[in-house]
Amino acid sequence: MNRRLFIGASLSLCAGALMLPAALKGLMDQKGDLLEMELKGGTVTIRLFSDLAPRHVERIKSLVQAKFYDGMPFSRVIEGFMAQTGDPIKETGLDYMRLPALTAEFNPLPFERGTVGMARSRHPHSASHQFFITSARAGYLDQKYTAFGQVTRGIELIDKLRQGEPEIGTVVNPDIIKSMRLVSARAV
């Protein structure tokens, strides 16, 4: 009986040693899956879903690390719908026009209030660098646009952004993103 207990415990230790690297990898993958977007009124925290839209999240992370969004305006804001950013009004130091278009990664994440999605043209596989944050439920976008994140803190700051024209949302004198940074889940 003691021999069986010893063998069973040894096997459990071995299995645990094999599973530990996979568990640690999961923890490491989460590092940087949060964004902090600094606005005039405070900080908006966004949870990224790399499991649902890996290519879109990787693009956003790369652009954030390159400081592409620092100083970026919210150039389209439509009350009761969304706020869109990513269209530069100044030199960014990055030739964003040469970024390859992303293949859509439609997923089951619903466009609820605070969902972050990738902006695109009418063509589903044309997203590149612009994204939007919904300010209300927009079910008609579900699985037609790539959802890749969710605001977890600060949605009221999105509500306070300067509004644009009712139809197309173009904002005169838009609010800007002061900075965007990747942060670890432990830092929040």
Side-chain angles (χ1 to χ4, degrees):
M1 187 69 123
N2 287 339
R3 188 178 295 168
R4 285 186 189 168
L5 184 59
F6 176 75
I7 291 171
S10 297
L11 288 174
S12 293
L13 283 173
C14 291
L18 289 174
M19 293 180 352
L20 185 60
L24 289 176
K25 182 184 183 307
L27 287 174
M28 295 305 286
D29 287 347
Q30 289 181 2
K31 183 178 183 205
D33 277 353
L34 285 176
L35 292 176
E36 284 187 346
M37 179 171 52
E38 193 67 34
L39 302 177
K40 176 178 64 177
T43 304
V44 176
T45 304
I46 299 169
R47 168 60 121 195
L48 300 174
F49 296 106
S50 54
D51 56 332
L52 298 176
R55 290 182 304 278
H56 286 72
V57 167
E58 190 55 42
R59 173 69 57 86
I60 292 296
K61 285 180 170 184
S62 296
L63 291 170
V64 166
Q65 289 173 326
K67 300 184 180 196
F68 176 75
Y69 296 109
D70 292 6
M72 192 69 64
F74 275 94
S75 56
R76 287 186 68 220
V77 180
I78 300 174
E79 186 176 7
F81 175 39
M82 64 88 204
Q84 183 174 324
T85 188
D87 189 13
I89 56 172
K90 63 177 181 58
E91 178 56 43
T92 64
L94 178 78
D95 190 1
Y96 63 92
M97 296 300 284
R98 291 182 150 293
L99 290 172
L102 293 164
T103 301
E105 295 176 298
F106 301 139
N107 58 63
L109 186 65
F111 279 92
E112 300 287 347
R113 175 173 162 76
T115 300
V116 184
M118 208 65 158
R120 62 171 175 79
S121 70
R122 292 178 193 248
H123 188 278
H125 308 297
S126 61
S128 175
H129 56 281
Q130 295 188 47
F131 67 89
F132 61 91
I133 301 170
T134 53
S135 53
R137 174 76 171 115
Y140 52 91
L141 300 178
D142 291 355
Q143 297 185 15
K144 293 182 177 83
Y145 282 76
T146 299
F148 67 87
Q150 181 68 41
V151 172
T152 59
R153 194 173 69 215
I155 190 67
E156 69 281 357
L157 299 171
I158 301 301
D159 294 337
K160 292 177 184 176
L161 293 172
R162 207 168 279 119
Q163 302 291 309
E165 301 169 24
E167 287 298 310
I168 58 173
T170 304
V171 181
V172 176
N173 193 22
D175 290 301
I176 64 161
I177 298 170
K178 288 183 174 183
S179 67
M180 267 178 90
R181 299 291 172 259
L182 291 167
V183 295
S184 67
R186 289 176 291 233
V188 176

